[in-house]
Amino acid sequence: MSIQRIAVEEAFVTQSIADAWNRVLAGRFVEPGFQKMGETILGDGPGARQLHARLLDVGAGRIAQMDADGIDLAILSITSPGVQVFDAVTATRLAQEANDVLADAVRANPQRLAGLAAVAPQFPGGAAVELERAVRTLGMKGFLVNSHTMGEYLDDRKYWSLFEAAEALGAPMYLHPREPAPAMVQPFLDYGLYFAGLGFSVETSLHAMRLIMSGVFDEFPKLHVVLGHMGEGLPFWLKRLDNRYLLQVQIGAVTKLPRLPSEYFLDHFVVTTSGMTSAPVLKMCIEVLGSERILFAADYPYEDARESVRFLDAADIPSVQREQIYRTNAERVFGLT
Ligand code: MN
């Protein structure tokens, strides 16, 4: 029996964004987390070169790899940290160009590829306009933000024009990780902890919680957010987040929100399996969130996509849940038809 597999956190880069990263890294003021990334994963070793070549390929090589891995449809997005380390003008221009490149790739393989838009939060008004163009004109299925932008988070009201556009367009936001923000990255710089094992998750779960606690979802009740890596740890924490929030309300330390943190999470977030091939974690997420809130992702080319397929194919879950996670949840969340 064949099952259609949709992978929703699949990375690419444009040559001009890669070039602009190198210009930032050669400059005088570089965010410490991004600098560390530059020294390693964006470096010039053979592993980094192969990764770079795979990120650039949104054509035949990518499709051939998807065939080999058993992925039917890949939703591509600009890889971390995307345009979020550039000045507003450069970031806005390179996001537009990346969206055009991605739209061309999707047009060439419409049965196999779809896209999430890149936006430049540095220029919130422009990001909203570009999101509208990307969704309405280019057919993007949502947008992706690589967590903090120069140490700032999207709970700041100056960014909310982006959420206003997202809600109006029905465009979900993939909140993707990057290195921890400059204000907290220092203790992560040792032992490689800034990277995807822990640092990315700490950074991104913090960002998600800032959105919840700021009241973004009361202002934008139809806004939806996708988190990778089985929810960046938050499903594990939900009960305690509620419990400690209620204590803080009781002692007057935080303002009471209309809903509990876990209720916002269940109402507004879905999670993906990117980079997570742990059966107990999948079981926990199904129990805590429900199988309707879990989507498949391979995180190509950073992860072994074949392994992620093997994992979900073999997971001890009912076939109806497997179908939800591989296909129908993605169709619902991203409006695929
Ligand atoms: Mn990723």
Side-chain angles (χ1 to χ4, degrees), residues 70-225:
I71 310 274
D72 296 280
L73 177 71
I75 305 186
L76 305 186
S77 49
I78 203 75
T79 198
S80 182
V83 300
Q84 289 166 249
V85 291
F86 307 137
D87 66 83
V89 173
T90 306
T92 301
R93 179 172 57 78
L94 291 181
Q96 287 168 352
E97 190 200 276
N99 292 334
D100 289 334
V101 168
L102 182 50
D104 283 345
V106 171
R107 226 171 277 128
N109 283 292
Q111 306 301 321
R112 307 301 303 280
L113 302 176
L116 299 181
V119 294
Q122 296 92 319
F123 175 24
V129 171
E130 177 59 9
L131 179 59
E132 185 171 353
R133 181 186 80 99
V135 172
R136 290 245 165 92
T137 312
L138 303 179
M140 298 292 168
K141 305 302 179 190
F143 64 111
L144 180 138
V145 171
N146 288 296
S147 203
H148 77 84
T149 304
M150 313 225 169
E152 293 187 345
Y153 295 91
L154 299 175
D155 57 284
D156 187 324
R157 280 184 176 266
K158 74 180 180 187
Y159 295 115
W160 288 14
S161 55
L162 185 53
F163 293 143
E164 200 181 322
E167 190 178 60
L169 294 161
M173 173 173 74
Y174 206 118
L175 187 59
H176 187 278
R178 61 171 298 198
E179 327 84 55
M184 67 166 174
V185 76
Q186 208 57 41
F188 288 90
L189 293 176
D190 301 319
Y191 317 117
L193 291 171
Y194 72 94
F195 192 51
L198 180 73
F200 278 32
S201 237
V202 170
E203 160 67 23
T204 314
S205 57
L206 171 71
H207 199 157
M209 286 310 297
R210 289 188 66 103
L211 294 180
I212 288 174
M213 301 311 289
S214 71
V216 158
F217 299 107
D218 298 312
E219 188 103 357
F220 304 104
K222 285 183 286 196
L223 180 64
H224 288 279
V225 180

